[in-house]
Amino acid sequence: MNQTTASLETVDLVHTKGASPVTLNFPAGQIICLAGLDGHGQERFLETLAGWNRPVTGGVYTPGPTAREKLRGGRHANRLGVAFLPRDRRENGIFPTQSILDNFAISSTGRDTLFGLISPRKRNRRFAHYQQLLGIVADDPRNPITSLSGGNQQKVLVARLLAGEPRVLLLNDPTRGVDVATRTMLYRLFCDLAAKGMTLVIVSTEIEEAINLADRVIVFRDQDISVELSGEHKTNARVLAGMFGEAA
């Protein structure tokens, strides 16, 4: 699971004015959780990894078709296999007036073409695959996505990302506001994806989630990295100490 090939890395990255430069490696097959009190930089750092925020200095790099490439924005990141799930699914995730199927397929329409035309059969087949994988409860994929529970809406958004076959998943609080069954399913899915070589970087607002799910926990305080923890050092006390700037 803990492979050494870097799927994503930062070099002297300053994600917001006044923050210290960060050089980090995010290897294939790892789950890395970003923790911290609200507003202390972990969300902006994740959004910068995704290309949603332009770095003040430095950059984010990922392997391209022929060489390592510096990300030039969200669309460029997506083309290079870096997928991002925002925190607020209603504001930045779902298209509430569109169907479940359209919400799923909107980022990967090109995969549903046959002889240059959209093939409903191919689209339905692709959705059925991810519906089974994630256990999406939907009577009819042509229904509005707002007809689904919050947990099933979140599953559709995760399915949308996976349908693009990314190498890196950047997830902002993906278990926020979902039921226990959905949370458990997502944990299992994330571990399975990492075991297959995917890199996952997750902002988590729950300390226990970060400790139990991640190979590494990176704690932010005042826009900077306070501490990085792995192995037996991933403890509740050390994460809290990092959040409040105290010695563990």
Side-chain angles (χ1 to χ4, degrees), residues 109-120 122:
T109 300
R111 297 175 185 271
D112 298 324
T113 57
L114 187 65
F115 305 118
L117 300 174
I118 295 294
S119 167
K122 288 184 70 174

Side-chain angles (χ1 to χ4, degrees), residues 101-153:
L101 189 59
D102 286 340
N103 268 273
F104 160 75
I106 198 165
S107 298
S108 54
T109 300
R111 297 175 185 271
D112 298 324
T113 57
L114 187 65
F115 305 118
L117 300 174
I118 295 294
S119 167
R121 179 176 294 181
K122 288 184 70 174
R123 177 170 290 184
N124 288 330
R125 190 184 303 124
R126 278 202 312 130
F127 177 73
H129 168 75
Y130 288 101
Q131 182 177 16
Q132 182 177 14
L133 178 68
L134 279 81
I136 299 169
V137 180
D139 293 332
D140 187 338
R142 295 171 296 181
N143 288 338
I145 192 167
T146 50
S147 66
L148 299 181
S149 66
N152 280 292
Q153 289 180 26

Side-chain angles (χ1 to χ4, degrees), residues 146-225:
T146 50
S147 66
L148 299 181
S149 66
N152 280 292
Q153 289 180 26
Q154 190 77 329
K155 291 178 184 179
V156 171
L157 295 183
V158 173
R160 178 202 294 171
L161 297 186
L162 295 181
E165 299 181 0
R167 293 180 296 104
V168 179
L169 275 184
L170 307 176
L171 308 169
N172 192 344
D173 212 5
T175 62
R176 175 174 176 250
V178 303
D179 57 80
V180 174
T182 299
R183 183 184 298 257
T184 301
M185 185 282 303
L186 289 174
Y187 289 164
R188 184 171 61 250
L189 174 68
F190 297 158
C191 290
D192 288 346
L193 293 171
K196 293 175 181 176
M198 189 177 290
T199 302
L200 294 93
V201 185
I202 303 172
V203 166
S204 177
T205 54
E206 297 188 21
I207 295 176
E208 290 301 321
E209 176 178 274
I211 290 172
N212 293 327
L213 188 62
D215 297 285
R216 295 153 58 199
V217 179
I218 299 173
V219 184
F220 282 75
R221 176 173 171 78
D222 293 333
Q223 309 305 315
D224 286 333
I225 292 176

Side-chain angles (χ1 to χ4, degrees), residues 31-64:
I31 300 176
I32 299 99
C33 279
L34 311 181
L37 300 171
D38 280 348
H40 277 252
Q42 65 273 21
E43 286 192 64
R44 188 168 182 86
F45 182 80
L46 185 77
E47 291 169 354
T48 306
L49 293 182
W52 278 39
N53 290 319
R54 185 182 297 275
V56 179
T57 59
V60 182
Y61 297 84
T62 192

